Amino acid sequence: MSEYVRDDRDAHQFKINRTAMVDSAVLTMERSRVFDKSWLYVGHESELKKPNSFKTRTLAGRPIIFTRDHTGQIRVWLNSCPHRGAMLCRDRAGNARFMTCFYHGWSFNTAGEQVSMPGDQAYGENFERPGLASPPRLDSYRGFVFASFDPDIVSLEDYLAGAKEYLDLIADQSEVGMEVIEGTHEYSCKANWKLLVENSVDGYHAMSTHQRYFEMVLAARGDKVDISLVGKERGIALGNGHAVVAAPAGSDELLGRPLSDEGKAERAARYASIAAKHGDGWAERLRGSRNLVIFPNLIVIDLVMGVLIRKIDPITPDYMEVTAWHIVPPEEGPDLRAQRLDNFLTFWGPGGLASPDDVEALESAQRGFATHKELPWSDISRGMASTVNTGQDELQMRTWWRQWDELITGEVHPPEEKEPLTHPWSAQRQVLSATDSASQALPAS
Amino acid sequence: MQSVVRITPNRDQLAHAGGSVEVAQIALGGVPRGAALVLCSDRQRGGEDGHVLNELAMHGYEGIAATVDGTEGLDTQVSIVERMMERLARRGWHPGEVGVVGFESPIRLAARVGADAGFGALVTVSPTGLVEDGTDGLAGDLPALVSAVATPWLIMVGSCDPSAPAAAVTSLAGVLDERAAKYAQVVRFPGVAADYYQRSTESLELAASFDYWQRTLEWLNAQVEPRPTPLAQAWRDRHAVSAAPAQQVTHTRSHVRQEGA
């Protein structure tokens, strides 16, 4: 039986041992058993607009270069010179077909090939010239690029399982391809990384933790806020540890400052276009919000008024670094763009009205975990006894933790039995021809 | 006492379609990093071209320089560049191993050169011809011309250069970002005129003169193909390095702008 997770189906109790939040040995296990055995989000293809564009970032603690080579292929290289280990590229972003290590001057191109080394005659003619190393697996789903350090991992599509359709719901918002815009949020939090995973799909905390934000929305919208929508969300397990809190249509009237009539008209026209292409049910789903976690550390939050991509990186057991990007339909008009940017700043920004509250809550919890010997268990049981899970319940967190526990301890937790999803969450993406109302499901690949 | 060893360039006349032009050339021994084709301005007459070639040689680039004084037509200017490249080709350089650096040279010349020849890099210092007389906006024919450039292109201007007004420079940067197949960067130095690349003791000019040169070298190093050593070439031939990419991603086409060649 796992020492970290108590999953009591009879008593409807699910508990997490807080040792998992404070013990450096757990983080060491997470690095080898979770991060080295999962598909991990690298970035979005739209971040690399031209050949030889690059971004440097970290992946499972390793420095990497996320680039397009000169032929346009997406590549991920470990940012360490094969010669003596120095970081090959020390810029955050840029464009370079050739990168030269400042330590001894070895150069490589964006296809990973070594192109020069000073004084190479001293190595002799049979010296094997090393290229750049890469994660063994690299793949992309609708512009979202993932890599894995496990050469034997299942395909990305199999790994994503039910999360795929939630990425479809993001990707379908643009006719020309969603685009990550400039302006990355980077912040840190003195708390265990898993606390932010939980928080990102935790509907229960919203009203108590983010009271200030909702007061701002009420002040901006007056009596036009339809609070009957609150609590109508569903918590849904998507397989392989992925989960989502998905709300029905109407979230655009609940979150963010009010949109202009022009912006509303543009949004309505886009929904009509999506309905024509993919069916009314799909368009209705798209009009709702969703907080998605893709195991282990990718969060995609679509609150209609903006779409956030969040990557969470553990640094120590009580310290994490967070990177967040904003993904948008590039063709949208100025009013919708202004509302998105406003929300990215006022809700999700490190100086906004929501993220700082979350950071404070998580850091408070981490400080509280100093009592973990006296208070060893955290509770994530909400909704375990019911057959239909709302977003206020905690199925989504349990789903993530069960996958974590299986990878860490080997204990297999069967999924919770829940009633099948109903409208609107059951609506499937369809491909409708322009001349024929008959429809067909999206092919699997 | 001279503290730095300077190489005296060879000087001779280069015949081209419109006559001939004096060129300065420095050839390096060993295996140079790359080559540079330098188009100097009128301000650099009197030996400044040799200074530029020496500065490039310090970083492993041999080079050839000529002054394009603006009196020739565009076709003649292009012909001069072609003849200069032929000189470099005689020393075994192919265009991908060559960076073109132009000082106060016409932007249309840079666009022509960058569109066709497959050069490794293009650097334009204080381009001329961005605007039509009496206007601040980008000249009407330029969006189409610069969009066709298929060479990584660094453009640097001074904010006090009357031939590079802010509106035109902003438009140029936008067009290149949206439409050019290759990466381009437009840099605007504050408080300096078109001659910021010349040595000065005035603080903003000094800063710009240092920064423009650092950017030029970094641009060349990042974009110009290094000439392989004989051992590197032999290793490449044995391993057919470029034939088998290690990892491939199926990506969304709308996010990709393929190289032209």
Side-chain angles (χ1 to χ4, degrees):
Chain A
M1 184 175 180
S2 168
E3 62 187 292
Y4 302 112
V5 174
R6 282 187 183 168
D7 188 0
D8 187 337
R9 304 300 173 93
D10 296 327
H12 302 299
Q13 285 206 329
F14 192 94
K15 292 179 182 294
I16 300 299
N17 193 305
R18 293 173 178 179
T19 305
M21 306 295 192
V22 299
D23 189 349
S24 59
V26 172
L27 179 57
T28 300
M29 284 194 292
E30 288 174 339
R31 292 199 187 286
S32 61
R33 300 180 191 181
V34 174
F35 284 90
D36 286 357
K37 297 292 179 184
S38 299
W39 281 100
L40 303 171
Y41 180 67
V42 176
H44 195 266
E45 290 180 11
S46 63
E47 295 180 77
L48 306 171
K49 286 193 170 63
K50 301 198 178 184
N52 303 314
S53 292
F54 69 85
K55 306 271 184 181
T56 54
R57 48 191 56 159
T58 60
L59 188 70
R62 288 101 154 161
I64 60 161
I65 304 167
F66 174 44
T67 186
R68 269 188 205 283
D69 69 18
H70 68 289
T71 69
Q73 279 291 329
I74 296 283
R75 306 281 195 162
V76 173
W77 303 115
L78 300 184
N79 191 2
S80 175
C81 182
H83 177 217
R84 297 280 278 279
M87 284 173 63
L88 185 63
C89 180
R90 296 181 296 158
D91 291 331
R92 302 290 302 271
N95 185 283
R97 185 171 179 187
F98 304 100
M99 294 181 180
T100 301
C101 178
F102 85 105
Y103 194 13
H104 296 93
W106 287 26
S107 292
F108 303 84
N109 62 22
T110 48
E113 300 154 347
Q114 197 225 50
V115 293
S116 73
M117 49 197 286
D120 66 348
Q121 68 277 9
Y123 287 88
E125 61 182 15
N126 294 320
F127 181 71
E128 199 61 27
R129 294 164 186 257
L132 297 179
S134 61
R137 299 289 295 275
L138 180 66
D139 206 347
S140 171
Y141 184 77
R142 300 205 68 181
F144 293 83
V145 179
F146 294 79
S148 178
F149 292 99
D150 180 0
D152 301 318
I153 197 168
V154 298
S155 73
L156 177 62
E157 292 215 10
D158 287 346
Y159 179 86
L160 290 173
K164 276 195 307 182
E165 70 176 22
Y166 286 89
L167 293 180
D168 291 336
L169 284 164
I170 304 294
D172 284 346
Q173 292 175 25
S174 171
E175 300 269 353
V176 297
M178 293 288 276
E179 184 174 301
V180 168
I181 57 174
E182 295 291 334
T184 309
H185 284 168
E186 293 180 340
Y187 56 97
S188 59
C189 177
K190 295 174 192 167
N192 188 273
W193 69 281
K194 299 185 287 295
L195 287 176
L196 185 54
V197 173
E198 289 181 354
N199 169 271
S200 299
V201 289
D202 179 359
Y204 192 27
H205 82 289
M207 285 299 175
S208 51
T209 305
H210 300 307
Q211 186 182 351
R212 282 190 313 155
Y213 175 75
F214 288 109
E215 284 177 355
M216 182 276 284
V217 173
L218 284 169
R221 289 181 178 263
D223 58 0
K224 294 176 183 171
V225 176
D226 182 2
I227 58 171
S228 70
L229 292 165
V230 176
K232 297 284 174 57
E233 316 89 358
R234 287 288 178 84
I236 303 167
L238 301 171
N240 295 337
H242 319 312
V244 69
V245 176
S251 306
D252 50 329
E253 297 295 334
L254 193 61
L255 296 166
R257 284 192 271 236
L259 186 61
S260 68
D261 290 341
E262 291 79 5
K264 286 180 181 175
E266 182 185 336
R267 183 176 279 163
R270 183 183 308 143
Y271 288 141
S273 171
I274 291 166
K277 288 173 68 177
H278 301 302
D280 292 335
W282 188 255
E284 186 178 348
R285 278 183 74 183
L286 198 138
R287 289 178 56 210
S289 67
R290 63 211 115 247
N291 288 43
L292 170 70
V293 54
I294 294 180
F295 189 91
N297 67 333
L298 172 63
I299 308 294
V300 182
I301 302 177
D302 177 2
L303 297 183
V304 182
M305 47 62 159
V307 186
L308 173 91
I309 301 171
R310 174 187 289 162
K311 182 168 82 81
I312 306 168
D313 289 307
I315 306 299
T316 63
D318 58 357
Y319 184 76
M320 73 179 103
E321 290 180 347
V322 185
T323 313
W325 300 270
H326 204 175
I327 187 167
V328 308
E331 72 270 34
E332 73 184 352
D335 287 11
L336 279 172
R337 177 60 59 85
Q339 196 206 35
R340 281 180 193 279
L341 295 177
D342 177 67
N343 283 307
F344 202 52
L345 191 67
T346 58
F347 189 80
W348 287 301
L353 290 163
S355 288
D357 295 337
D358 289 326
V359 168
E360 175 59 22
L362 306 192
E363 292 189 345
S364 172
Q366 193 70 34
R367 288 194 295 274
F369 291 160
T371 66
H372 72 97
K373 290 179 183 169
E374 295 77 28
L375 288 169
W377 298 99
S378 288
D379 186 278
I380 308 184
S381 305
R382 188 176 164 93
M384 206 167 166
S386 79
T387 55
V388 175
N389 271 257
T390 74
Q392 306 284 306
D393 295 331
E394 294 166 340
L395 168 68
Q396 53 279 8
M397 285 173 258
R398 294 191 293 275
T399 298
W400 187 93
W401 273 106
R402 286 175 180 130
Q403 180 74 7
W404 179 91
D405 199 41
E406 184 175 336
L407 291 173
I408 293 290
T409 71
E411 181 169 344
V412 177
H413 303 262
E416 289 179 41
E417 294 294 327
K418 299 295 178 189
E419 289 185 7
L421 291 172
T422 56
H423 181 84
W425 298 280
S426 59
Q428 293 297 298
R429 184 181 194 267
Q430 300 182 336
V431 179
L432 302 175
S433 77
T435 55
D436 185 356
S437 60
S439 61
Q440 63 184 59
L442 181 73
S445 58
Chain B
M1 189 175 75
Q2 191 170 11
S3 60
V4 179
V5 175
R6 313 297 296 190
I7 304 169
T8 303
N10 291 324
R11 294 185 181 276
D12 65 349
Q13 291 292 314
L14 179 71
H16 58 81
S20 69
V21 64
E22 182 184 279
V23 294
Q25 190 164 2
I26 286 180
L28 299 177
V31 182
R33 161 67 179 80
L37 193 160
V38 183
L39 304 173
C40 289
S41 72
D42 271 341
R43 291 185 218 269
Q44 292 167 304
R45 291 191 190 276
E48 187 69 10
D49 53 357
H51 173 74
V52 173
L53 290 176
N54 268 277
E55 292 293 312
L56 287 163
M58 286 170 62
H59 295 271
Y61 292 88
E62 66 175 41
I64 185 169
T67 299
V68 180
D69 65 11
T71 58
E72 309 95 341
L74 183 58
D75 288 340
T76 301
Q77 293 166 351
V78 170
S79 166
I80 292 171
V81 171
E82 289 171 349
R83 298 291 89 74
M84 292 169 77
M85 182 59 220
E86 286 171 8
R87 279 276 185 98
L88 292 175
R90 271 184 241 146
R91 286 191 44 81
W93 296 106
H94 72 79
E97 296 171 332
V98 176
V100 178
V101 182
F103 293 87
E104 295 191 68
S105 56
I107 193 160
R108 287 169 184 79
L109 172 60
R112 283 272 297 271
V113 167
D116 300 328
F119 285 112
L122 193 57
V123 178
T124 307
V125 181
S126 298
T128 61
L130 283 181
V131 296
E132 286 153 0
D133 287 344
T135 66
D136 282 347
L138 193 63
D141 62 325
L142 282 181
L145 283 176
V146 301
S147 299
V149 170
T151 306
W153 193 6
L154 172 63
I155 300 167
M156 294 176 280
V157 303
S159 68
C160 299
D161 178 358
S163 63
V169 173
T170 301
S171 296
L172 176 65
V175 168
L176 288 167
D177 184 52
E178 288 296 318
R179 293 163 56 176
K182 293 289 185 63
Y183 181 66
Q185 188 176 48
V186 178
V187 177
R188 194 161 179 259
F189 295 116
V192 296
D195 61 349
Y196 60 83
Y197 58 88
Q198 299 209 298
R199 282 159 287 185
S200 168
T201 54
E202 195 281 322
S203 59
L204 287 176
E205 291 173 351
L206 179 65
S209 69
F210 177 86
D211 195 61
Y212 107 86
W213 186 245
Q214 186 66 23
R215 288 175 183 273
T216 298
L217 291 171
E218 290 181 7
W219 195 265
L220 297 178
N221 288 337
Q223 307 292 354
V224 172
E225 288 178 36
R227 169 178 274 190
T229 64
L231 287 179
Q233 189 59 55
W235 186 85
R236 236 180 250 189
D237 293 343
R238 284 201 304 273
H239 292 263
V241 174
S242 296
Q247 32 166 233
Q248 298 248 338
V249 164
T250 307
H251 41 62
T252 310
R253 296 301 308 166
S254 60
H255 296 135
V256 185
R257 297 179 198 197
Q258 287 275 7
E259 271 195 351

